[in-house]
Amino acid sequence: MVVKIASRMDWLYGLQVNGIKLGLENITELLRRMDDPQKAYPCIHVAGSDGKGSTCSIMASILRASGLKVGLYTSPHIMDFTERITVDGEPIPQKEVDHLLGGIRHFAEDMRESGFSCTFFEATTALAFEYFRRQEVDIAVIEVGMGGRFDATNVITPLVSVITNISIEHVQYLGSTVREIAGEKAGIIKPGVPCVTINSGEALEVIRGKAEETGSPLTVVDGGKIEVSKLGKEGVLFNYGRHEHYVSIPGSFEARNAALAMAALEQLPFADDVKGHFDEGLSSVRWPCRMERYPDGFVVDVSHTAAGVACLSADVSAVYGKVILVFGILSDKSVEEVCRYLSGVSSKVIVTAPSCERANPLDGTLALMRKYCPDAESAPTVAEALDRAKEIRKDGDTVLVTGSFYMAEEALRWMGRTSL
């Protein structure tokens, strides 16, 4: 009898049954068995609630512009798993994923006999670290998956730790207050390693306390000194530190991310070699589904926290005016607050639910949205919601699709099947 062996990607996704396990025991043991690939190159570590991915991408772009070979590890992906792990902007080839997962699977299954159960994210993190070692990157930019203190990426000792804006998220894992969540994010701060943040208020108090405890030099970027001079459909022109810069990701929040990225890179031991490439890197960065335009007036964005959606709403209003909104969200977000912000920029709302177990129930989202937009309607799937938006859209109208990474993925797949 022939036994069909599951593919290595099937095995990886099968690890999702182990859920989310915050802690470093599994990843530490897995990497030990792999001879600690994360120690083969210097890293930058980035935590936060809003703007992590953009900040990572901006730093990677600047570092590439300075002539370095740069690894970038982010999550989640939008269309394809390989987006999570790139070197010099190129995703890891699927054949490399399959090859490297063979070894990781061997170690993980051997560990199970000793009582360890690796998760999807732990195995993926190990995959990224090993790929970067084999590619002999000069530096890697590593985004925290969730939280910080017990995130699988927190086994690294970086050259600099970066903490983007902190807001309420993942309360079942990180705590229900900004102070509690900031404590988890600040867990990436390592003894003596410089930390750069753009937070203020309670979050900054927690970060400052952790930095003092670990003897880590702290740099605080003053968001009030970042002035957006032009907000466009393709990027943002802003002033910071007596200099004008342009970052090629739309949205005023990207000016904050860019300023934070530059401040972090200034802490590197080789900062002088990088500073002269700030503008080149900023103007050439690409990061998908951040107020990204598509044909026929469709705009796709992955904002999903209340703070992120507040910025998105203001930017969409300034650039596009009122929009037709296609919206779905996960249940672990501040659903009503997000609805309130988005309702203010919407001429018409079509509520749906992305294909995800954690999606907020359609009826619940619709009920909350109708508190602010009484004529909001619903569609059972993202594709049907987009079909409806296309049907009612008139020339000159903008359709904004937002609420989660899952919404963005399904929107892009729909566009691939639909002639826009």
Side-chain angles (χ1 to χ4, degrees), residues 78-110:
I78 296 174
M79 294 289 285
D80 190 270
F81 174 84
T82 60
E83 298 167 21
R84 295 170 178 250
I85 304 167
T86 68
V87 172
D88 284 349
E90 293 297 321
I92 180 174
Q94 185 60 51
K95 65 179 182 180
E96 285 292 323
V97 174
D98 295 337
H99 173 67
L100 295 176
L101 280 180
I104 292 170
R105 179 176 182 174
H106 168 77
F107 289 124
E109 291 183 344
D110 190 50

Side-chain angles (χ1 to χ4, degrees), residues 88-393:
D88 284 349
E90 293 297 321
I92 180 174
Q94 185 60 51
K95 65 179 182 180
E96 285 292 323
V97 174
D98 295 337
H99 173 67
L100 295 176
L101 280 180
I104 292 170
R105 179 176 182 174
H106 168 77
F107 289 124
E109 291 183 344
D110 190 50
M111 285 169 55
R112 178 176 290 183
E113 297 180 5
S114 302
F116 294 93
S117 297
C118 288
T119 66
F120 170 87
F121 188 71
E122 288 166 344
T124 302
T125 299
L127 171 64
F129 289 163
E130 177 63 19
Y131 183 63
F132 294 155
R133 174 166 66 178
R134 295 192 181 206
Q135 287 292 303
E136 298 182 340
V137 299
D138 296 314
I139 190 168
V141 181
I142 308 295
E143 179 189 7
V144 165
M146 183 175 68
R149 183 166 62 112
F150 291 129
D151 186 77
T153 63
N154 203 28
V155 292
I156 62 176
T157 300
L159 297 178
V160 58
S161 304
V162 185
I163 304 178
T164 69
N165 183 67
I166 292 173
S167 59
I168 300 294
E169 59 162 353
H170 301 301
V171 294
Q172 70 271 48
Y173 296 106
L174 306 180
S176 58
T177 68
V178 167
R179 185 172 288 277
E180 289 175 325
I181 294 171
E184 296 299 320
K185 309 286 187 185
I188 71 165
I189 300 174
K190 302 295 193 303
V193 174
C195 177
V196 182
T197 188
I198 197 168
N199 282 280
S200 58
E202 283 188 314
L204 179 57
E205 289 178 14
V206 173
I207 293 167
R208 192 183 300 281
K210 181 65 175 180
E212 291 175 354
E213 175 189 324
T214 56
S216 304
L218 179 65
T219 299
V220 181
V221 175
D222 185 350
K225 294 183 178 179
I226 302 168
E227 299 177 359
V228 173
S229 53
K230 185 176 181 181
L231 181 61
K233 295 179 179 179
E234 306 296 339
V236 187
L237 193 67
F238 67 99
N239 294 288
Y240 177 68
R242 300 193 301 275
H243 296 284
E244 186 174 70
H245 304 279
Y246 174 79
V247 59
S248 55
I249 311 175
S252 60
F253 202 83
E254 301 302 342
R256 293 170 57 88
N257 295 332
L260 179 61
M262 288 188 286
L265 294 179
E266 287 176 345
Q267 303 304 311
L268 296 176
F270 45 89
D272 289 343
D273 298 329
V274 175
K275 290 180 184 178
H277 300 276
F278 278 174
D279 286 332
E280 180 185 353
L282 288 172
S283 63
S284 60
V285 64
R286 295 291 179 267
W287 198 232
C289 295
R290 274 67 180 179
M291 255 179 79
E292 187 172 17
R293 291 198 304 159
Y294 290 87
D296 279 2
F298 280 74
V299 173
V300 181
D301 190 273
V302 295
S303 296
H304 51 274
T305 68
V309 168
C311 291
L312 170 66
S313 299
D315 290 343
V316 165
S317 179
V319 176
Y320 295 104
K322 293 284 186 177
V323 298
I324 298 170
L325 175 68
V326 176
F327 170 66
I329 194 168
L330 303 188
S331 59
D332 58 354
K333 308 304 177 186
S334 303
V335 181
E336 181 167 359
E337 217 176 340
V338 170
C339 288
R340 178 168 58 84
Y341 284 124
L342 289 173
S343 66
V345 297
S346 304
S347 60
K348 179 67 179 176
V349 178
I350 306 164
V351 169
T352 187
S355 299
C356 172
E357 291 180 356
R358 294 186 290 128
N360 202 57
L362 178 56
D363 290 346
T365 305
L366 180 62
L368 289 172
M369 183 60 81
R370 280 183 170 168
K371 292 174 66 174
Y372 306 99
C373 293
D375 65 344
E377 58 183 82
S378 66
T381 67
V382 175
E384 290 171 275
L386 291 165
D387 286 338
R388 175 60 176 155
K390 186 179 180 183
E391 176 187 328
I392 64 177
R393 179 185 176 274

Side-chain angles (χ1 to χ4, degrees), residues 390-408:
K390 186 179 180 183
E391 176 187 328
I392 64 177
R393 179 185 176 274
K394 298 181 175 63
D395 286 345
D397 286 347
T398 296
V399 178
L400 173 65
V401 185
T402 193
S404 81
F405 282 85
Y406 293 97
M407 287 292 298

Side-chain angles (χ1 to χ4, degrees), residues 43-81:
C43 297
I44 298 172
H45 203 191
V46 184
S49 303
D50 305 294
K52 282 185 303 179
S54 292
T55 303
C56 287
S57 183
I58 291 167
M59 286 193 290
S61 182
I62 293 170
L63 291 165
R64 289 199 307 271
S66 70
L68 297 175
K69 187 173 186 179
V70 184
L72 175 62
Y73 178 46
T74 58
S75 61
H77 62 269
I78 296 174
M79 294 289 285
D80 190 270
F81 174 84

